[in-house]
Amino acid sequence: MWSGFPMERTSPRGFTAPKSPIIPAIFIFYGPCEIADSSQLEALKAPILFILSDDAPAGYPQIVSDDRHGARAITESLIGAGHESIMVLTERKPDGSAYYHDRIEGFKDALAAHGLGFDTSALMALPIDYGDYIDSAMTTIRAHAIPALTSSRHRPSAILALSDYLAFALAKVLADEGIRVPSDVSLASFGGWSITALMPVSIQSWVQPAPDIIQTAAQATSYLLGGRAFAGTIPLTDSWRYAVVDEAGGVGARGAGDAADSADETEGTGRTGETSETGQVSRPAEARAISSTCFMVPGYLRLGQSVRRFNGPTRIDLRRTNQPMAAAPSTSLASSAPLTATLLPYPASPLTR
């Protein structure tokens, strides 16, 4: 993106960059924007698109993920694995409030669905220096989260980090403190980004597929440059959900890149509705316009060995999470694809308390 400032530079071939400011065709903000005064945006003479910006100013075009549904699904997977005491870590906005409001609400939704009360002390919003994220996160986790985790009489059996980067920093601090994942505490996160591949155990998370988000952003950009309102759906051609038909006939969805997938599982499922010998049905995902200025991109549950199963069913039916949430705003509606998760068996190990 051009900065818009006058510049003059001659290349070895004699090319001279223009002196006058270059106005970009569109401005794109990704992630937290931390814009305290949104009136500054009015001076920009081009469309603005926010991508996964939890604090984007109201009314501006956005690409969002199904955060509320996703947080509910990942929390359901923890509860179904036997965890009823769950600590939630998020990041703190400059005004002191917590980032990821919809993810927090999704967590509450899952608790309510199982008759579990929400304890405000289980939610911790940590101040993070985004200029030095990992070191800053590790410092504040050591100062605040670890004492809360180790000093509690009813120590949480699982931690849900509402950001993969926060989960990455947390995993390092837990290892430094001698707290084992998942033997001592289970860990789940939100995002499914590539940084989780660097963790010592596969992380259980709700995935926001990067290729899908990029494709949706490209289509949204064409809408904005054409002066059109967002509408309809966007077939996500690079991303497929492989539906697993379980013994009871239920249908679940998982991403094509899940660690649990194998070549023989997905073989012969290249078209929508085509079934393989292993009972998988492939179906394309699609982003949908939930307002004239907002596209929502679906996600999926990725299982991992960072979560230890205590007691409870070996299968968790998450299809009920697709029911409309009465109190949810339009930007937090659950995605329409049914979802079922199969928990992997984990080695038995007593929880250190």
Side-chain angles (χ1 to χ4, degrees), residues 87 89-90 124 126-128 133-149 159 161 165-174 177:
M87 173 185 285
L89 295 185
T90 187
M124 185 172 295
L126 303 174
I128 304 292
Y133 188 99
I134 298 299
D135 285 344
S136 173
M138 289 175 59
T139 298
T140 192
I141 287 169
R142 287 194 184 96
H144 302 286
I146 295 301
L149 177 66
I159 303 174
Y165 290 88
L166 195 57
F168 182 87
L170 173 63
K172 178 64 170 65
V173 174
L174 290 175
E177 297 292 329

Side-chain angles (χ1 to χ4, degrees), residues 44-287:
L44 301 177
K45 305 300 181 182
I48 302 172
L49 177 64
F50 290 92
I51 302 177
L52 303 186
S53 298
D54 187 63
D55 56 346
Y60 283 90
Q62 296 187 60
I63 304 297
V64 302
S65 68
D66 51 351
D67 279 17
R68 185 163 184 166
H69 171 63
R72 177 168 177 169
I74 190 67
T75 306
E76 289 271 4
S77 76
L78 291 173
I79 295 173
H83 299 277
E84 295 186 354
S85 179
I86 304 170
M87 173 185 285
V88 179
L89 295 185
T90 187
E91 299 159 18
R92 185 188 302 174
K93 295 182 181 179
D95 63 6
S97 61
Y99 272 112
Y100 308 124
H101 172 267
D102 284 349
R103 300 178 193 182
I104 295 171
E105 291 304 307
F107 172 74
K108 294 179 182 178
D109 290 339
L111 295 182
H114 289 268
L116 301 174
F118 172 66
D119 183 357
T120 56
S121 66
L123 173 64
M124 185 172 295
L126 303 174
I128 304 292
D129 177 5
Y130 289 100
D132 188 18
Y133 188 99
I134 298 299
D135 285 344
S136 173
M138 289 175 59
T139 298
T140 192
I141 287 169
R142 287 194 184 96
H144 302 286
I146 295 301
L149 177 66
T150 57
S151 64
S152 173
R153 293 184 57 187
H154 303 286
R155 178 174 174 176
S157 62
I159 303 174
L160 173 57
L162 297 185
S163 158
D164 279 344
Y165 290 88
L166 195 57
F168 182 87
L170 173 63
K172 178 64 170 65
V173 174
L174 290 175
D176 290 346
E177 297 292 329
I179 302 172
R180 301 166 298 172
V181 175
S183 300
D184 298 331
V185 65
S186 291
L187 175 60
S189 68
F190 200 104
W193 301 106
S194 58
I195 191 173
T196 58
L198 302 177
M199 298 176 69
V201 295
S202 61
I203 191 77
Q204 185 152 307
S205 64
W206 182 261
V207 179
Q208 299 169 306
D212 296 358
I213 293 168
I214 293 170
Q215 183 179 346
T216 304
Q219 186 64 39
T221 297
S222 70
Y223 273 79
L224 292 174
L225 295 179
R228 294 179 292 160
F230 295 170
T233 60
I234 301 173
L236 301 171
T237 55
D238 292 336
S239 181
W240 292 76
R241 304 291 181 265
Y242 290 96
V244 183
V245 182
D246 63 23
E247 294 88 344
V251 179
R254 65 184 179 190
D258 283 6
D261 287 340
S262 64
D264 60 343
E265 282 184 320
T266 58
E267 184 178 0
T269 59
R271 296 180 182 275
T272 304
E274 187 172 302
T275 307
S276 70
E277 294 180 358
T278 57
Q280 288 201 343
V281 181
S282 64
R283 62 181 63 188
E286 61 181 19

